[in-house]
Each structure stands twice: as C-alpha cells, then as structure tokens.
Amino acid sequence: MRRFGFQRTRTTFGEGSMEAENTAGGPEELQLEPSGPKARAGSMHKHCHGLAESLEVEQEGLVEHQPLEQDDLNFERWKPKPKPKRTLHEKIDDLKTYLWNPETKEFMGRSGKSWSLILFFYSALYIFLAAMFAGCMCCLMWSISPYAPTYNDRVMPPGLTMSPHVDVVHGFEIHFNASDRSSWKKYAKALEAQLKTYDDTVQKRRNIECKQGTYFMQDNLEESAERKACQFKRSSLGPCSGMEQKDFGYANGKPCILLKMNRILGYLPGHGTPVNVTCAVKKGTPEELGEVEFYPKNIFDLMYYPYYGKLRHVNYTSPLVAVRFPNLQLDALLHVQCKLNGKGIINDSPTDRFLGSVSFNLQVGA
C-alpha cells in the first residue's frame, strides 16, 4: 500500500519564479507545481490582491488611533452662533406680513380657501354638538316630572334650623346686652324679616283654615293642579310674634328664637303623630337656662303636611315653633340644643349636626 503525505508550500517572489519546498510524508514524495504559465500568473495576482487589502486595513487602523489635533478639542467652535438681534421695526414688519401677505394673498398664514374650509368644518361640528345636546336635554325633560322627583327613597329625615342667624362665620350665636339696643337690634330685624309672610292679613288672603291633628292630603288632584295651603298666622306666636313687642323680648333680656323643620316633598312626619320639640342646655346648668316657653305649641301640627313642592304648593308657609327664654341667668354662657322628637326622626347623628337638631350659644348681659 502506498502512503501519501501532504505538501506544505512556501511561495517567494523573485524574478518571476516560484519555488515549492516539499516536506517528506513517507517513502515517496509528491511534488505539485503549476502546470503552465497562465496558472502561475493567476496565483500571483490573487496573492498580491490579498496583500493590498491587508495593508489598507492596517493604514485605516493607524488613522483611527491618531491623536486629535488642538483645533478638534476647541468645543467653542461647535456651539451655535447667536442670532443677530432684530429691531422693533423688523418685528413689526414681520407681524404685518404674518397678518396679511400681499405676495401670497394669505391672512395669518392661510389662504382664503383654507380659512373657508376651517370655518365650515368647525361650524358643522359645533352645530352637530349643539343639536345632540339639545336632543339629549329634550329626552331628559320628557322622561322626568317637574313636580315630583322620580326617586326619593334615600331622602334623609328632616333637619332643624333656627332664626335669627346673622353671624354666618361663627355659626348660631346670640350674644347681646339688654340695655344696649345696638347689640340686639340685628336679631330683632332678622326675626321681623322672617315673619313678613306670616302676617295675618297675608295668610287670610292666600291660604285656608285647616283641621288640626290630621294630614291635609290632596293626592286626588291632577299632578299639575295647584294645592291649597293651611294658614299659619303670626299672631299665634304670642310674645314672640313681634306684634306687641317689636324687640321680640330682647330689650328685657327675654329673647325669642324661631325653629323651622326642613321641607321634604311628600314627607309625612311622625307617622300620624305630631313631631314635638324640646330644648335643653348642653353646657351649663338647667337653673342658668331657666324655664323654656313654646308658641303656639311645642309641636309641628300634621295639617301642614305633606308638602307638594313649590310649583304646586305656591303659597305654602312652613309651620314655626317659637321658643322663649324668660328666666335666663345674666352673663352666663350657655350652649343650648333644641331637638325634634317623633317616629322616624333622627336627632343624634354624629356626622350631621343639623339632622333633627340645632345647637347655639346664648349669652345675655345686663
């Protein structure tokens, strides 16, 4: 069997000749040489092309690693140059050109056709939006009643308010000296304004006399029909009416206040039993507060309920309870609370201090 060896060649360039050195691979040597002049020329051309590419890569590497010149490190030359300042006259000219360009016939950068298309588009858009909003409002108004709410199952029990209430910042406070008319005049003025609509002549002209102790039901009438209201005459408040004592007792150190229960449409307070009112001192002693008088009674009569809303109950006047303090201890600061009491009434809410009760500070000086 004949054993062959691999030939390792080394090419040298001389006078156009190429020699091959053979390495021994066995007992016999195989010498490979180009067979003709054309083969030798092709081999030399490929080898020269490879050497030229390697030299070019080496030169590029040397160029990349060359250090930067001093001009390249001057970063100021790369900063943008500041724009020259424009004069006021130039700015005005530019503004005039922007508003109206006589060369291009453009107003504010747009031609007449462009402005026409923009106005047409936005006009159509807003007309469509207005029509859609009007249609939604019409559907809403057709679906609800102007006389009664559609849902009122979550209405809270009524609250309690008082008059006079002249100091909005400090809440319900009544501080005055009986001998100083300027200190209590504002309270008397507020009570007089509150009772204007309760004058006896006004009540006789507008409202009717009703049976006490029963609800005045008018549900059998048409929904839009006007409901009648029961009379509440000012004279029934006695010494707190302001008819005999224009000062409502403030000049004598025996002040009056008015209590009113909030209106709730269709509400029947007390479930057949009148809601009553009590007043007591929260800070102080009962002796300092003394006796408390109520006019006409300490109840809200059932004949004033239910309330049918301002569109149907046009002349409705809420019933009042006048509270008089005839035996106050002078110069004693008292914190008084008046409460509603009855079935379905809440007067001890920790979150709403006006739900079923009202509190105020009372101090009377000599």
Side-chain angles (χ1 to χ4, degrees), residues 48-345:
C48 292
H49 183 69
L51 287 177
E53 288 182 353
S54 62
L55 289 174
E56 183 178 357
V57 171
E58 184 176 358
Q59 289 179 357
E60 290 179 356
L62 292 175
V63 171
E64 290 179 356
H65 291 84
Q66 286 181 357
L68 296 175
E69 298 181 359
Q70 187 64 28
D71 292 340
D72 295 333
L73 297 177
N74 186 14
F75 297 105
E76 296 294 333
R77 61 182 293 189
W78 305 107
K79 291 183 178 180
K81 297 180 180 180
K83 297 181 179 180
K85 293 184 178 180
R86 303 171 63 196
T87 62
L88 180 61
H89 182 70
E90 292 176 344
K91 294 180 179 180
I92 294 176
D93 290 341
D94 291 343
L95 179 60
K96 291 180 179 179
T97 304
Y98 170 72
L99 294 176
W100 173 250
N101 192 333
E103 297 179 357
T104 60
K105 307 296 182 181
E106 291 180 349
F107 174 70
M108 298 182 67
R110 293 183 181 273
S111 62
K113 181 179 179 181
S114 177
W115 280 114
S116 301
L117 293 175
I118 290 175
L119 293 176
F120 174 76
F121 171 77
Y122 282 104
S123 299
L125 174 64
Y126 287 117
I127 290 174
F128 171 75
L129 293 177
M132 184 175 64
F133 177 76
C136 292
M137 291 300 297
C138 289
C139 294
L140 177 65
M141 297 306 295
W142 285 338
S143 63
I144 63 176
S145 172
Y147 303 105
T150 306
Y151 304 101
N152 59 355
D153 55 335
R154 301 189 67 180
V155 177
M156 296 294 292
L160 189 65
T161 59
M162 64 162 286
S163 182
H165 181 207
V166 297
D167 194 349
V168 180
V169 178
H170 298 90
F172 294 106
E173 293 188 359
I174 300 177
H175 295 171
F176 68 94
N177 295 323
S179 58
D180 185 5
R181 185 175 184 274
S182 61
S183 64
W184 53 260
K185 182 180 178 181
K186 56 185 178 181
Y187 302 118
K189 186 177 180 180
L191 291 174
E192 180 65 28
Q194 177 77 18
L195 294 175
K196 277 290 184 182
T197 56
Y198 292 88
D199 288 341
D200 291 6
T201 55
V202 176
Q203 289 294 312
K204 289 180 181 180
R205 184 176 70 253
R206 293 180 177 178
N207 300 332
I208 63 173
E209 293 184 359
C210 302
K211 183 181 178 180
Q212 297 183 359
T214 59
Y215 294 120
F216 186 22
M217 306 298 297
Q218 305 178 69
D219 294 336
N220 56 340
L221 302 177
E222 294 183 2
E223 185 181 25
S224 60
E226 182 179 342
R227 269 58 173 179
K228 297 183 181 298
C230 297
Q231 294 180 4
F232 189 94
K233 296 181 180 179
R234 179 175 180 173
S235 58
S236 63
L237 298 177
C240 294
S241 64
M243 300 176 67
E244 297 178 359
Q245 299 179 6
K246 298 296 184 181
D247 54 17
F248 295 90
Y250 283 82
N252 301 322
K254 302 176 182 180
C256 291
I257 64 170
L258 301 176
L259 299 179
K260 182 172 65 174
M261 191 162 57
N262 290 350
R263 300 178 183 181
I264 300 178
L265 196 144
Y267 180 67
L268 300 175
H271 302 289
T273 304
V275 176
N276 64 79
V277 179
T278 57
C279 293
V281 63
K282 291 185 64 177
K283 184 179 180 182
T285 60
E287 291 76 15
E288 293 176 334
L289 182 63
E291 183 185 2
V292 180
E293 299 177 354
F294 298 93
Y295 299 94
K297 297 178 182 179
N298 69 328
I299 63 171
F300 291 96
D301 201 287
L302 299 180
M303 65 179 179
Y304 299 103
Y305 304 98
Y307 172 62
Y308 289 96
K310 62 181 181 179
L311 293 181
R312 294 180 291 182
H313 239 153
V314 180
N315 297 322
Y316 181 83
T317 48
S318 299
L320 302 174
V321 172
V323 184
R324 184 169 179 258
F325 305 97
N327 300 314
L328 286 173
Q329 182 176 336
L330 299 179
D331 299 324
L333 179 60
L334 304 175
H335 187 65
V336 184
Q337 183 183 45
C338 294
K339 292 183 178 181
L340 294 175
N341 304 284
K343 296 180 180 179
I345 298 296

